[in-house]
Amino acid sequence: MKSEAPATFTLHSRLFRAEAHSTFLILIAGPMATTQILSEIQDPRTGRGRWLLLAAGFVLLGCFFLPWLRFVITANDRIALSLTGLQAVTMPPVETTDGGLLYRSSPWMYLAPLAGIVALGLGLLTLRPGRSAPWHGLFAIILSVTAAVAVWSVVTAAQEIAQKQKVSVEVQWGLALTFMALLLFLISGLVALRDAGAQQPTFRAALDALDFMAPGTVLVIVFFVLPAIILFILSLTDLSSANFSEPWTFVGFDNYRRMFSDRFFPKILRNTFQYVILTLLFFNVGLALLLALLTAHVSRRVGFFFRLLWLLPRITPSVVYIVMWQRIAQQPPYGILNQLLGWLGVENQPYWIPEAPWVFVVLVNGFVGASFGMIIFTSAIEAIPADLIIAAKVDGAGDLALIRDITLPLLRWPLLFVVTYQTLSLLVSFEYILLLTNGGPGLFTTEVWALTAYKRALQTYFGSNQWAYGAAWGFVLVVIGVVLSVLYLRVFRFNDLVQEPKIDVL
Amino acid sequence: MRVELDNLTKRWGDVTGADGITLDMQNGEFVAFLGPSGCGKTTTLLMVAGIYKPTAGEIRFDERVVNQVAPKDRNIGMVFQSYALYPHMSVRQNIGYPLKLKKTPADEMEKRVQRVADMMGIGHLLARRPAQLSGGQQQRVALGRALVKEPSLLLFDEPLSNLDARLRLTMRSEIKRLQLDLGITSIYVTHDQVEAMTMADRIAVMKEGKLQAYAPPNELYEQPRTIFIAGFVGNPPMNLFDAQIVQEGKRYLARRQGFEMEVPHKQGSRAVGKGQVVVGIRPEDISLAQNTGITGEVFVVEPLGRDNLVDVRIEDLHLFVLADPRQPLQIGDPVQLQIDGGKVQLFDPETEYSLLWT
Ligand SMILES: Nc1ncnc2c1ncn2[C@@H]1O[C@H](COP(=O)(O)OP(=O)(O)O)[C@@H](O)[C@H]1O
Ligand SMILES: [Mg+2]
């Protein structure tokens, strides 16, 4: 095959937009960040070197990003992307032994990052703790990561195009150099961050705090943020058991559209709020508070016994627990409740659960949920200094006034915690409802959001797992949970609770 | 209000908090409960407040037995070491809380809170939270809260122990002054004998749940009835040591190895022939003399500012002596001691009671 003028390729428009976006970012951010970093990390005492390095950084980084510029300028929806767009000045393609065309990267492509490395290396060599601001370092880090992703994606695109056109592109070396430059970028960013930390006490404190939070943060990222992201991505696909043998595709927000237009969506929404609010109000907070107050006001041993008693539902396996409730509510002669009613002379009793499904849903969950708050509240009540209680009694408070004026206000933080925590856990809990009514009786009578998500995604009847659709339900639930948490923190004015006291002298 | 405690006892299982406390307080009297920590002062106070139910005995307010009366119906004001201010209430709400519980009308409440706050010098802090106040200010708020409902009995549980030394002095005289002005019967619990001595009309000295003595400060100081009181009351503490009282002709002598001093007839006659007794003598009743008296050697000199506290060694006996700081004393210097025999206290080592005062 003869060597020809650069071929014209069509790039997938969606893919292209993403790349153009990141490229644009680099175009603006690159020179800015580089000059900032270079000016910050070199010794301020050698004034001329500073300007020299600054200029060098600017020019060289400009060179480095020139190819990207070309790429963007020549791009439109049906672009004529010459390989020169990717590789600055293209070398004429070389015919390979198997008849393909080999496009080589231009020397410029190697030169630009190389020069960038030299500039950054010089900068690093002259490194002294200068006047760095935290955001310089952060900027460099963000930039390097974004750039790496952008480079990678464009190279992949180019390779894909080349493959379709049956030409091969050799970019490995350029790629490696590019990533090395970006790595240096990353390091210089981290260095700038550290320097900034050394100079600014407040930022230093923030960094220290980050250190302390690191283990927790890692856990949250691994077990919450990443799963949530995966869930979201999953919800944008058409993954289900119906088309499992075919390759899945992204379908945008189709699943969400389908969810919000579901005929039973309002019903499920109402059920969810009803379930959460009733259980929370009457049991997880109300009964829990009542139990904590009562058990704190009787003798220690009796209090301990009653608290233990209320823990039983929680430590009973859920299936056993539900079977017990069903036994309580059964028709005569099985049901305990009906047997008692029978002795009282009330005959012909129904199976109570379908009669009053909501009462049972709330009771069943509430009896389990109450113990959590009870334990938190009890420990909080016992942590109130004895002097405060004595002072209030001497001041003239009876038992009720004591609870109203002293105990409850001092329980604000545990109350916030229990309300927040229990709202979220109720929102996502469904196993007792699944076992008790399975959302029935009838259509969606007691079906809550989490149960729907579970059924759509994972419950198999006729092999109907709609993983992606279920993921959409699940993801919205996650969003609701996060929004609610933030709201709670606002309403309870969490920041006030952790405020430091202002002491002055007499 | 008159307060009487009659054989007041509190036990938790085999732990005894207070053991048969009997004493009475006159209307307007300022009584201090003095004793080392853990001796049952707080326990007794809390029984008076109605927080603890007595295991045995009676509490009477103006002849009325109040054992079964709830704290809120006793009309008591109380001040704590920890201040015990309600952290979620402003200063205004803290001071007004007893009035609010009495359903006092809002405008009258406002007036009384303001008056008390002004009296305590915290009138400008009413909008603050306790956490925004210094220790001294918090204690003033606590005092205001105790006073606002015009109680017939004030209870203080080591109210100054958390304050720094200077503030303690100021607050001490303020509380004393306030109590005199208002004439409210008060019980003041403290482990600091200086506080008790300077403030109280009468002091109840307690040890291990029992009442050791109940007397005015000067009587406690001059006529200690037990070894414990002798050692606990007075600063620097009394010198206590074993000796034998012997009669030689008309003279009585307290004698031990390397030590001999004359004791007046009045004291000596009560101890003679009892074998080993405990002799007590305060540092301020010993002086350094020239060429006469008991010979010893300077062991340590502690400058106290106005005086020097000198530890003088006589064989194996150490005596603390107050000396003029202008007198140059070096460790190891030989000194002569002159003891004011008339101030000597004598105790029975077995019963620990005084041989002089009963
Ligand atoms: N609630 C209680 N339960 C059991 N023992 C107690 C209790 N309160 C006090 N005591 C005991 O009673 C004794 C007296 O305590 P307290 O009155 O607090 O001493 P003080 O106030 O003189 O320091 C101590 O030995 C203490 O351990
Ligand atoms: Mg105490």
Side-chain angles (χ1 to χ4, degrees):
Chain A
M1 199 192 276
K2 280 259 158 130
S3 72
E4 285 167 14
T8 302
F9 302 127
T10 308
L11 194 63
H12 195 290
S13 65
R14 184 144 46 96
L15 207 58
F16 163 69
R17 268 203 297 277
E19 282 137 22
H21 186 73
S22 50
T23 311
F24 189 63
L25 204 139
I26 292 166
L27 271 175
I28 298 178
M32 245 174 82
T34 315
T35 49
Q36 280 289 0
I37 291 159
L38 288 178
S39 67
E40 292 300 338
I41 61 179
Q42 58 84 43
D43 189 356
R45 279 169 298 185
T46 59
R48 235 174 339 152
R50 177 195 178 108
W51 289 108
L52 205 74
L53 272 171
L54 204 143
F58 210 112
V59 170
L60 291 171
L61 260 292
C63 282
F64 179 36
F65 290 114
L66 200 63
W68 304 99
L69 189 63
R70 292 276 300 275
F71 173 64
V72 175
I73 291 168
T74 54
N76 55 46
D77 204 38
R78 278 180 64 86
I79 55 162
L81 172 67
S82 72
L83 277 179
T84 56
L86 185 62
Q87 303 187 340
V89 186
T90 329
M91 301 290 281
V94 185
E95 201 169 336
T96 57
T97 45
D98 56 358
L101 275 178
L102 181 66
Y103 287 79
R104 284 187 180 282
S105 306
S106 116
W108 290 101
M109 185 66 186
Y110 298 101
L111 203 60
L114 208 61
I117 290 164
V118 172
L120 281 166
L122 278 174
L124 284 173
L125 278 179
T126 56
L127 179 73
R128 298 279 183 286
R131 289 153 297 124
S132 310
W135 64 271
H136 297 146
L138 283 177
F139 207 35
I141 292 168
I142 294 167
L143 176 78
S144 51
V145 174
T146 328
V149 173
V151 169
W152 181 255
S153 61
V154 173
V155 166
T156 328
Q159 276 172 332
E160 197 181 318
I161 294 160
Q163 198 185 15
K164 280 188 185 149
Q165 297 299 321
K166 295 199 175 57
V167 296
S168 52
V169 187
E170 226 177 42
V171 286
Q172 285 87 344
W173 271 106
L175 205 62
L177 282 173
T178 309
F179 279 115
M180 265 167 78
L182 291 173
L183 193 66
L184 278 172
F185 234 8
L186 196 71
I187 292 168
S188 67
L190 288 172
V191 168
L193 263 186
R194 202 199 54 199
D195 287 354
Q199 287 161 38
Q200 300 187 358
T202 49
F203 181 65
R204 179 44 168 281
L207 271 191
D208 285 349
L210 266 182
D211 282 351
F212 277 113
M213 291 193 303
T217 312
V218 167
L219 286 182
V220 168
I221 288 176
V222 171
F223 291 108
F224 179 76
V225 177
L226 289 184
I229 291 172
I230 292 169
L231 190 71
F232 179 64
I233 295 172
L234 183 60
S235 74
L236 300 177
T237 67
D238 62 354
L239 206 63
S240 79
S241 54
N243 58 2
F244 196 46
S245 51
E246 301 155 31
W248 53 272
T249 51
F250 280 109
V251 294
F253 287 93
D254 279 358
N255 285 324
Y256 291 90
R257 239 167 267 136
R258 191 176 143 207
M259 176 175 95
F260 289 120
S261 56
D262 191 301
R263 196 154 69 84
F264 288 101
F265 180 81
K267 176 78 180 149
I268 291 169
L269 190 66
R270 194 151 14 91
N271 283 349
T272 307
F273 276 103
Q274 188 170 329
Y275 162 65
V276 172
I277 290 169
L278 289 180
T279 316
L280 190 72
L281 213 62
F282 290 114
F283 288 91
N284 291 11
V285 174
L287 183 66
L289 201 56
L290 196 70
L291 284 172
L293 287 170
L294 285 177
T295 55
H297 280 85
V298 296
S299 83
R300 275 193 104 74
R301 202 168 301 164
V302 177
F304 179 77
F305 175 75
F306 275 101
R307 284 195 285 274
L308 199 67
L309 209 64
W310 276 94
L311 269 175
L312 280 180
R314 187 173 289 271
I315 58 177
T316 312
S318 20
V319 176
V320 176
Y321 177 66
I322 294 300
V323 168
M324 277 166 56
W325 273 97
Q326 286 171 341
R327 282 292 158 189
I328 288 171
Q330 278 288 346
Q331 277 152 314
Y334 309 110
I336 296 166
L337 189 64
N338 284 333
Q339 212 147 65
L340 290 177
L341 285 172
W343 290 337
L344 293 175
V346 190
E347 299 292 333
N348 291 328
Q349 295 303 316
Y351 176 37
W352 283 107
I353 293 177
E355 295 294 317
W358 271 104
V359 172
F360 280 91
V361 164
V362 173
L363 275 181
V364 162
N365 281 284
F367 273 49
V368 174
S371 55
F372 178 82
M374 178 187 74
I375 286 168
I376 303 275
F377 294 143
T378 304
S379 62
I381 289 172
E382 302 209 328
I384 296 176
D387 278 358
L388 275 187
I389 306 294
I390 295 175
K393 284 185 180 168
V394 170
D395 280 347
D399 282 343
L400 283 180
L402 191 67
I403 288 170
R404 184 192 61 211
D405 297 334
I406 311 295
T407 314
L408 285 183
L410 291 180
L411 289 185
R412 199 161 80 145
W413 164 239
L415 262 171
L416 158 72
F417 173 66
V418 170
V419 167
T420 311
Y421 187 93
Q422 294 286 48
T423 305
L424 300 183
S425 67
L426 280 171
L427 263 180
V428 299
S429 82
F430 61 88
E431 70 271 30
Y432 293 116
I433 303 181
L434 175 79
L435 292 165
L436 190 76
T437 64
N438 195 14
L443 282 176
F444 298 92
T445 311
T446 56
E447 178 139 330
V448 293
W449 201 301
L451 182 58
T452 313
Y454 165 77
K455 282 184 178 171
R456 295 294 163 277
L458 300 172
Q459 203 175 54
T460 308
Y461 39 98
F462 318 120
S464 63
N465 300 39
Q466 298 162 284
W467 296 293
Y469 185 41
W473 282 87
F475 186 74
V476 174
L477 202 54
V478 171
V479 172
I480 292 176
V482 171
V483 168
L484 276 180
S485 315
V486 174
L487 264 180
Y488 277 134
L489 292 182
R490 295 259 145 174
V491 170
F492 282 90
R493 292 191 308 182
F494 180 70
N495 284 334
D496 285 4
L497 286 175
V498 296
Q499 207 175 42
E500 285 178 48
K502 299 182 214 65
I503 303 284
D504 59 0
V505 286
L506 186 71
Chain B
M1 191 175 71
R2 282 176 43 103
V3 178
E4 286 168 281
L5 311 184
D6 190 356
N7 190 31
L8 198 59
T9 303
K10 180 71 188 174
R11 280 191 208 95
W12 296 272
D14 47 5
V15 181
T16 304
D19 193 358
I21 307 280
T22 302
L23 53 80
D24 68 299
M25 283 165 241
Q26 298 307 312
N27 188 21
E29 200 175 13
F30 193 114
V31 171
F33 287 181
L34 176 65
S37 113
C39 73
K41 306 178 300 281
T42 301
T43 305
T44 312
L45 198 72
L46 290 181
M47 282 193 284
V48 174
I51 303 297
Y52 288 162
K53 292 266 169 294
T55 313
E58 271 184 3
I59 305 163
R60 287 189 289 273
F61 288 179
D62 282 336
E63 268 77 72
R64 188 169 65 104
V65 178
V66 292
N67 282 29
Q68 299 304 324
V69 177
K72 70 187 174 77
D73 301 319
R74 293 193 184 198
N75 198 25
I76 285 172
M78 190 159 172
V79 182
F80 300 81
Q81 176 177 356
S82 65
Y83 319 132
L85 297 178
Y86 311 124
H88 55 288
M89 296 186 194
S90 65
V91 169
R92 175 178 282 109
Q93 289 166 319
N94 262 285
I95 297 178
Y97 188 58
L99 298 180
K100 190 186 142 202
L101 289 170
K102 280 185 170 177
K103 306 224 170 9
T104 313
D107 51 339
E108 192 200 329
M109 190 159 110
E110 177 62 36
K111 244 185 291 172
R112 283 171 68 176
V113 168
Q114 189 68 50
R115 201 173 60 219
V116 166
D118 288 341
M119 186 165 77
M120 300 309 309
I122 45 167
H124 57 297
L125 301 173
L126 285 178
R128 295 223 196 150
R129 290 281 169 100
Q132 300 166 319
L133 301 177
S134 70
Q137 289 169 331
Q138 290 192 47
Q139 199 52 290
R140 279 159 205 268
V141 176
L143 255 171
R145 186 179 63 185
L147 290 174
V148 76
K149 62 178 176 182
E150 294 161 5
S152 26
L153 177 62
L154 269 175
L155 306 178
F156 298 87
D157 193 353
E158 315 215 9
L160 305 183
S161 298
N162 277 7
L163 302 179
D164 66 61
R166 256 191 72 126
L167 203 53
R168 204 142 55 196
L169 282 182
T170 332
M171 292 293 289
R172 199 166 83 192
S173 46
E174 272 183 40
I175 292 178
K176 179 67 195 160
R177 197 46 219 273
L178 214 64
Q179 197 270 340
L180 273 179
D181 288 349
L182 301 173
I184 303 173
T185 317
S186 303
I187 304 178
Y188 188 101
V189 161
T190 179
H191 64 262
D192 179 349
Q193 53 96 22
V194 181
E195 258 173 38
M197 296 289 281
T198 51
M199 298 172 85
D201 299 324
R202 277 196 280 176
I203 300 175
V205 183
M206 295 177 67
K207 185 196 177 191
E208 288 163 7
K210 290 204 176 68
L211 187 64
Q212 290 260 320
Y214 184 44
N218 56 341
E219 193 185 317
L220 277 185
Y221 189 77
E222 282 155 17
Q223 306 177 357
R225 287 179 46 216
T226 64
I227 294 180
F228 174 74
I229 299 171
F232 198 74
V233 174
N235 190 26
M238 187 185 278
N239 294 298
L240 293 163
F241 55 91
D242 295 333
Q244 234 159 2
I245 308 290
V246 292
Q247 191 176 16
E248 281 187 2
K250 290 207 150 185
R251 298 165 68 215
Y252 292 93
L253 295 171
R255 192 180 278 161
R256 62 178 278 148
Q257 199 183 1
F259 177 95
E260 189 180 86
M261 66 173 281
E262 191 170 339
V263 180
H265 172 80
K266 197 180 114 219
Q267 280 115 310
S269 60
R270 289 181 180 236
V272 73
K274 301 230 157 142
Q276 290 275 352
V277 296
V278 175
V279 176
I281 183 80
R282 295 197 183 278
E284 56 264 44
D285 297 330
I286 310 176
S287 50
L288 298 179
Q290 304 286 328
N291 309 322
T292 167
I294 305 151
T295 311
E297 171 194 307
V298 174
F299 192 67
V300 178
V301 180
E302 282 179 47
L304 298 179
R306 202 185 53 192
D307 303 298
N308 274 353
L309 184 63
V310 187
D311 180 345
V312 178
R313 190 166 68 92
I314 305 156
E315 306 259 325
D316 61 341
L317 171 67
H318 287 259
L319 284 183
F320 285 91
V321 180
L322 284 179
D324 190 330
R326 280 166 302 190
Q327 194 170 357
L329 284 176
Q330 299 294 325
I331 290 175
D333 284 357
V335 286
Q336 258 88 41
L337 299 181
Q338 189 115 54
I339 300 177
D340 183 350
K343 299 282 179 66
V344 163
Q345 306 286 341
L346 297 171
F347 302 94
D348 184 329
E350 295 296 313
T351 62
E352 304 202 340
Y353 278 106
S354 174
L355 294 167
L356 309 179
W357 333 102
T358 42

